[in-house]
Amino acid sequence: MARKAKPKERPTAPRTEAPGRSLAWVQGLACGALVAMAPGFAVLGGVLGAPSWVALALDRAAGRPVLRSVALCNAAACVAPVRAFWAGGHGLDAAWAVVGGPLVLALAWGAGAAGWALAEVCPLGVRLVLEAAAAARAVRLRARRAAVAKEWALQD
């Protein structure tokens, strides 16, 4: 039986850019366009979304769980201010009026902080629940083993 020869693979040139780096300029271009065409919305997103921007800069974990939690909670708190901005005009004066509201900034940043706390506390809570369930199952299994050993008169 003759073996077929595998085709030789061409060596690939090493990448000179970091992964995802090629889109960085596109993202910068999009941010610049947003600032140029809708400066009020850019101010609103920058100020109210500050906790999300900080989490984006600091979270390096795989899947970015802290960023996801912070951004979700932060975005949920930003819905009403964005609607008020949209209804009140689309200029910088409307954006600063919305951001200058007494509870708007506190609510948006507090929601981001709650998302961060949720991302930090939830894994601990899940671990405690799973450990308690495992301990309860171990107790039930030991009791069942003792009952079977007593029924069969087994020696330990």
Coordinates of all heavy atoms in Angstrom, one line a residue, residues 42-105:
A42 N -22.1 62.9 21.4 CA -20.8 62.5 21.8 C -20.5 62.9 23.3 O -20.0 62.1 24.0 CB -19.7 63.1 20.9
V43 N -20.9 64.1 23.6 CA -20.7 64.6 25.0 C -21.6 63.7 25.9 O -21.1 63.3 27.0 CB -21.1 66.1 25.1 CG1 -21.3 66.5 26.6 CG2 -20.0 66.9 24.5
L44 N -22.8 63.5 25.6 CA -23.7 62.7 26.4 C -23.2 61.3 26.6 O -23.1 60.8 27.7 CB -25.1 62.7 25.7 CG -26.2 62.2 26.6 CD1 -26.5 63.2 27.7 CD2 -27.5 62.1 25.8
G45 N -22.7 60.7 25.5 CA -22.2 59.3 25.6 C -20.9 59.2 26.3 O -20.6 58.3 27.1
G46 N -20.1 60.3 26.2 CA -18.8 60.3 26.9 C -18.9 60.5 28.4 O -18.3 59.8 29.2
V47 N -19.8 61.4 28.8 CA -20.0 61.7 30.2 C -20.8 60.6 30.9 O -20.3 60.1 32.0 CB -20.6 63.1 30.4 CG1 -20.9 63.4 31.8 CG2 -19.7 64.2 29.9
L48 N -21.9 60.3 30.4 CA -22.7 59.3 31.0 C -22.1 57.9 30.9 O -22.3 57.1 31.8 CB -24.2 59.3 30.4 CG -25.0 60.5 30.7 CD1 -26.4 60.4 30.0 CD2 -25.1 60.8 32.1
G49 N -21.4 57.6 29.9 CA -20.8 56.3 29.7 C -19.4 56.2 30.3 O -18.7 55.2 30.0
A50 N -19.0 57.1 31.1 CA -17.6 57.1 31.7 C -17.3 55.8 32.4 O -16.2 55.2 32.2 CB -17.4 58.3 32.6
P51 N -18.2 55.2 33.2 CA -17.9 53.9 33.8 C -17.6 52.8 32.8 O -16.8 52.0 33.0 CB -19.2 53.6 34.7 CG -19.8 54.9 34.9 CD -19.5 55.7 33.7
S52 N -18.4 52.8 31.7 CA -18.1 51.8 30.7 C -16.8 52.0 30.0 O -16.1 51.0 29.7 CB -19.2 51.8 29.6 OG -20.5 51.5 30.2
W53 N -16.4 53.3 29.8 CA -15.1 53.5 29.2 C -14.0 53.1 30.1 O -12.9 52.6 29.6 CB -15.0 55.0 28.8 CG -16.0 55.5 27.8 CD1 -17.0 56.4 28.0 CD2 -16.1 55.0 26.5 NE1 -17.7 56.5 26.9 CE2 -17.2 55.7 25.9 CE3 -15.4 54.1 25.7 CZ2 -17.6 55.5 24.6 CZ3 -15.9 53.9 24.4 CH2 -16.9 54.6 23.8
V54 N -14.1 53.4 31.4 CA -13.1 53.0 32.4 C -13.0 51.4 32.4 O -11.9 50.9 32.4 CB -13.4 53.5 33.8 CG1 -12.5 52.9 34.8 CG2 -13.3 55.0 33.7
A55 N -14.1 50.7 32.4 CA -14.1 49.3 32.4 C -13.5 48.7 31.2 O -12.8 47.7 31.2 CB -15.5 48.7 32.6
L56 N -13.7 49.4 30.0 CA -13.1 49.0 28.8 C -11.6 49.1 28.8 O -10.9 48.2 28.4 CB -13.7 49.8 27.6 CG -13.0 49.6 26.2 CD1 -13.4 48.2 25.8 CD2 -13.5 50.7 25.3
A57 N -11.1 50.1 29.5 CA -9.7 50.3 29.6 C -9.0 49.4 30.6 O -7.9 48.9 30.4 CB -9.4 51.8 30.0
L58 N -9.8 49.0 31.6 CA -9.1 48.2 32.7 C -9.4 46.7 32.6 O -8.6 45.9 33.2 CB -9.6 48.7 34.1 CG -9.3 50.2 34.4 CD1 -9.9 50.5 35.7 CD2 -7.8 50.4 34.4
D59 N -10.5 46.3 32.0 CA -10.8 44.8 32.0 C -10.0 44.1 30.9 O -10.2 44.3 29.7 CB -12.3 44.6 31.8 CG -12.7 43.2 32.0 OD1 -11.9 42.4 32.6 OD2 -13.9 42.9 31.7
R60 N -9.1 43.2 31.3 CA -8.3 42.4 30.4 C -8.6 41.0 30.4 O -7.9 40.2 29.8 CB -6.8 42.6 30.7 CG -6.4 44.1 30.5 CD -6.3 44.4 29.0 NE -5.9 45.8 28.9 CZ -6.4 46.6 28.0 NH1 -7.3 46.2 27.2 NH2 -6.0 47.8 27.9
A61 N -9.6 40.6 31.2 CA -10.0 39.1 31.3 C -10.6 38.7 30.0 O -11.2 39.4 29.2 CB -11.0 38.9 32.5
A62 N -10.5 37.4 29.8 CA -11.1 36.8 28.6 C -12.6 36.9 28.6 O -13.3 36.6 29.6 CB -10.7 35.3 28.5
G63 N -13.2 37.4 27.6 CA -14.6 37.7 27.5 C -15.1 39.0 28.1 O -16.2 39.3 28.0
R64 N -14.2 39.6 28.8 CA -14.4 40.9 29.5 C -15.8 40.9 30.3 O -16.7 41.6 30.0 CB -14.4 42.0 28.5 CG -13.1 42.2 27.9 CD -13.0 43.4 27.0 NE -11.7 43.6 26.5 CZ -11.2 44.7 26.2 NH1 -11.8 45.8 26.3 NH2 -9.9 44.8 25.7
P65 N -15.8 40.1 31.3 CA -17.1 40.0 32.1 C -17.4 41.2 32.9 O -18.6 41.6 33.0 CB -16.9 38.8 33.0 CG -15.4 38.7 33.2 CD -14.8 39.1 31.8
V66 N -16.4 41.9 33.4 CA -16.7 43.1 34.1 C -17.2 44.2 33.2 O -18.2 44.9 33.5 CB -15.4 43.6 34.9 CG1 -15.7 45.0 35.6 CG2 -15.0 42.6 35.9
L67 N -16.6 44.3 32.0 CA -17.0 45.3 31.0 C -18.5 45.1 30.6 O -19.3 46.0 30.5 CB -16.1 45.3 29.8 CG -16.6 46.1 28.6 CD1 -16.7 47.6 29.0 CD2 -15.7 45.9 27.4
R68 N -18.8 43.8 30.4 CA -20.2 43.5 30.0 C -21.2 43.9 31.0 O -22.2 44.5 30.7 CB -20.3 42.0 29.7 CG -19.6 41.6 28.4 CD -19.7 40.1 28.2 NE -18.9 39.7 27.1 CZ -19.2 38.7 26.3 NH1 -20.3 37.9 26.6 NH2 -18.5 38.4 25.3
S69 N -20.9 43.6 32.3 CA -21.8 43.9 33.4 C -21.9 45.4 33.6 O -23.0 46.0 33.7 CB -21.3 43.2 34.7 OG -22.2 43.6 35.7
V70 N -20.8 46.1 33.6 CA -20.8 47.6 33.8 C -21.5 48.2 32.6 O -22.4 49.1 32.8 CB -19.4 48.1 33.9 CG1 -19.3 49.6 33.9 CG2 -18.8 47.6 35.3
A71 N -21.2 47.8 31.4 CA -21.8 48.5 30.2 C -23.3 48.3 30.2 O -24.1 49.2 29.8 CB -21.1 48.0 28.9
L72 N -23.8 47.1 30.5 CA -25.2 46.8 30.5 C -25.9 47.6 31.5 O -27.0 48.2 31.2 CB -25.4 45.3 30.7 CG -26.9 44.8 30.7 CD1 -27.4 45.0 29.3 CD2 -27.0 43.4 31.0
C73 N -25.5 47.6 32.7 CA -26.1 48.4 33.8 C -26.0 49.9 33.5 O -27.0 50.7 33.6 CB -25.5 48.1 35.1 SG -25.8 46.5 35.7
N74 N -24.9 50.4 33.0 CA -24.7 51.8 32.6 C -25.6 52.2 31.5 O -26.2 53.3 31.5 CB -23.2 52.0 32.3 CG -22.9 53.5 32.1 OD1 -22.2 53.8 31.2 ND2 -23.3 54.3 33.0
A75 N -25.7 51.3 30.5 CA -26.6 51.7 29.3 C -28.1 51.7 29.7 O -28.8 52.5 29.2 CB -26.4 50.6 28.2
A76 N -28.4 50.8 30.7 CA -29.8 50.8 31.1 C -30.2 52.1 31.8 O -31.3 52.6 31.7 CB -30.1 49.6 32.1
A77 N -29.2 52.7 32.6 CA -29.5 53.9 33.2 C -29.4 55.1 32.3 O -29.8 56.2 32.7 CB -28.4 54.1 34.4
C78 N -28.8 55.0 31.1 CA -28.7 56.1 30.2 C -29.9 56.2 29.2 O -29.9 57.2 28.4 CB -27.4 55.9 29.4 SG -25.9 56.2 30.4
V79 N -30.8 55.3 29.3 CA -31.9 55.4 28.3 C -32.8 56.6 28.5 O -33.0 57.3 27.5 CB -32.8 54.1 28.4 CG1 -34.1 54.2 27.6 CG2 -32.0 52.9 28.0
A80 N -33.2 56.9 29.7 CA -34.0 58.1 29.9 C -33.3 59.4 29.6 O -33.9 60.3 29.0 CB -34.5 58.1 31.4
P81 N -32.0 59.6 30.0 CA -31.3 60.8 29.6 C -31.2 61.0 28.1 O -31.3 62.1 27.5 CB -30.0 60.7 30.3 CG -30.1 59.8 31.4 CD -31.2 58.9 31.0
V82 N -30.9 59.9 27.4 CA -30.8 60.0 25.9 C -32.2 60.3 25.3 O -32.2 61.1 24.3 CB -30.3 58.6 25.3 CG1 -30.4 58.6 23.8 CG2 -28.8 58.5 25.7
R83 N -33.2 59.8 25.8 CA -34.6 60.2 25.3 C -34.9 61.6 25.6 O -35.4 62.3 24.7 CB -35.6 59.3 26.0 CG -35.6 57.9 25.4 CD -36.8 57.1 26.0 NE -38.0 57.6 25.4 CZ -39.2 57.4 25.9 NH1 -39.3 56.7 27.0 NH2 -40.3 57.9 25.4
A84 N -34.5 62.1 26.8 CA -34.7 63.5 27.1 C -33.8 64.4 26.1 O -34.3 65.5 25.7 CB -34.3 63.8 28.5
F85 N -32.6 64.0 25.9 CA -31.8 64.7 24.9 C -32.4 64.7 23.5 O -32.4 65.8 22.9 CB -30.4 64.1 24.9 CG -29.5 64.5 23.8 CD1 -28.9 65.8 23.8 CD2 -29.2 63.7 22.7 CE1 -28.1 66.2 22.8 CE2 -28.4 64.1 21.7 CZ -27.8 65.4 21.7
W86 N -32.9 63.6 23.1 CA -33.5 63.5 21.8 C -34.7 64.4 21.7 O -34.9 65.0 20.6 CB -33.8 62.0 21.5 CG -34.0 61.8 20.1 CD1 -35.2 61.6 19.4 CD2 -33.0 61.6 19.1 NE1 -34.9 61.4 18.1 CE2 -33.6 61.3 17.9 CE3 -31.6 61.6 19.1 CZ2 -32.9 61.1 16.7 CZ3 -30.9 61.4 18.0 CH2 -31.5 61.1 16.8
A87 N -35.5 64.4 22.7 CA -36.7 65.2 22.7 C -36.4 66.7 22.9 O -37.2 67.6 22.4 CB -37.7 64.8 23.8
G88 N -35.3 67.1 23.5 CA -35.0 68.5 23.8 C -34.2 69.2 22.8 O -33.7 70.3 23.1
G89 N -33.9 68.6 21.7 CA -33.0 69.1 20.7 C -31.7 68.3 20.7 O -31.5 67.6 21.6
H90 N -30.9 68.5 19.7 CA -29.8 67.7 19.5 C -28.5 68.5 19.6 O -27.4 68.0 19.2 CB -29.8 67.0 18.2 CG -31.1 66.3 17.9 ND1 -31.6 65.3 18.7 CD2 -32.0 66.5 16.9 CE1 -32.8 64.9 18.2 NE2 -33.0 65.6 17.1
G91 N -28.5 69.6 20.3 CA -27.3 70.4 20.3 C -26.5 70.2 21.6 O -26.9 69.4 22.5
L92 N -25.4 70.9 21.7 CA -24.5 70.8 22.9 C -25.3 71.4 24.1 O -25.1 70.8 25.2 CB -23.2 71.6 22.7 CG -22.2 70.8 21.9 CD1 -21.0 71.8 21.6 CD2 -21.7 69.7 22.7
D93 N -26.0 72.4 23.9 CA -26.8 73.0 25.0 C -27.7 72.0 25.6 O -27.9 71.9 26.9 CB -27.5 74.3 24.7 CG -28.4 74.1 23.5 OD1 -28.3 73.1 22.7 OD2 -29.2 75.0 23.2
A94 N -28.4 71.2 24.8 CA -29.3 70.2 25.3 C -28.6 69.1 26.0 O -29.0 68.5 27.0 CB -30.2 69.6 24.1
A95 N -27.4 68.7 25.5 CA -26.6 67.7 26.1 C -26.1 68.1 27.5 O -26.2 67.3 28.5 CB -25.4 67.3 25.2
W96 N -25.6 69.3 27.6 CA -25.2 69.8 28.9 C -26.3 70.0 29.9 O -26.2 69.8 31.1 CB -24.4 71.1 28.7 CG -23.0 70.8 28.1 CD1 -22.6 71.3 27.0 CD2 -22.0 70.0 28.7 NE1 -21.3 70.9 26.7 CE2 -20.9 70.1 27.8 CE3 -21.8 69.3 29.8 CZ2 -19.7 69.4 28.0 CZ3 -20.6 68.6 30.0 CH2 -19.6 68.7 29.1
A97 N -27.5 70.3 29.3 CA -28.7 70.5 30.2 C -29.1 69.1 30.8 O -29.4 69.0 32.0 CB -29.8 71.1 29.4
V98 N -29.0 68.1 29.9 CA -29.4 66.7 30.4 C -28.3 66.2 31.4 O -28.7 65.7 32.5 CB -29.5 65.8 29.2 CG1 -29.6 64.3 29.7 CG2 -30.7 66.1 28.4
V99 N -27.1 66.4 31.1 CA -26.0 65.9 32.0 C -26.0 66.7 33.3 O -25.7 66.2 34.3 CB -24.6 66.0 31.3 CG1 -23.5 65.8 32.2 CG2 -24.5 65.0 30.1
G100 N -26.4 68.0 33.2 CA -26.4 68.8 34.4 C -27.6 68.5 35.3 O -27.7 69.2 36.4
G101 N -28.4 67.6 35.0 CA -29.6 67.3 35.8 C -29.1 66.8 37.2 O -28.0 66.1 37.3
P102 N -29.9 67.0 38.2 CA -29.4 66.6 39.6 C -29.1 65.1 39.8 O -28.1 64.8 40.5 CB -30.5 67.1 40.5 CG -31.7 67.3 39.6 CD -31.2 67.5 38.3
L103 N -29.9 64.3 39.2 CA -29.7 62.8 39.5 C -29.2 62.0 38.3 O -28.9 60.8 38.4 CB -31.0 62.2 39.9 CG -31.5 62.7 41.3 CD1 -32.9 62.1 41.6 CD2 -30.6 62.4 42.4
V104 N -29.1 62.7 37.1 CA -28.7 61.9 35.9 C -27.4 61.3 36.0 O -27.2 60.1 35.8 CB -28.9 62.9 34.7 CG1 -28.3 62.2 33.5 CG2 -30.3 63.3 34.5
L105 N -26.4 62.1 36.4 CA -25.0 61.6 36.4 C -24.8 60.6 37.6 O -24.2 59.6 37.4 CB -24.1 62.8 36.6 CG -22.6 62.6 36.3 CD1 -22.4 62.2 34.9 CD2 -21.8 63.8 36.6

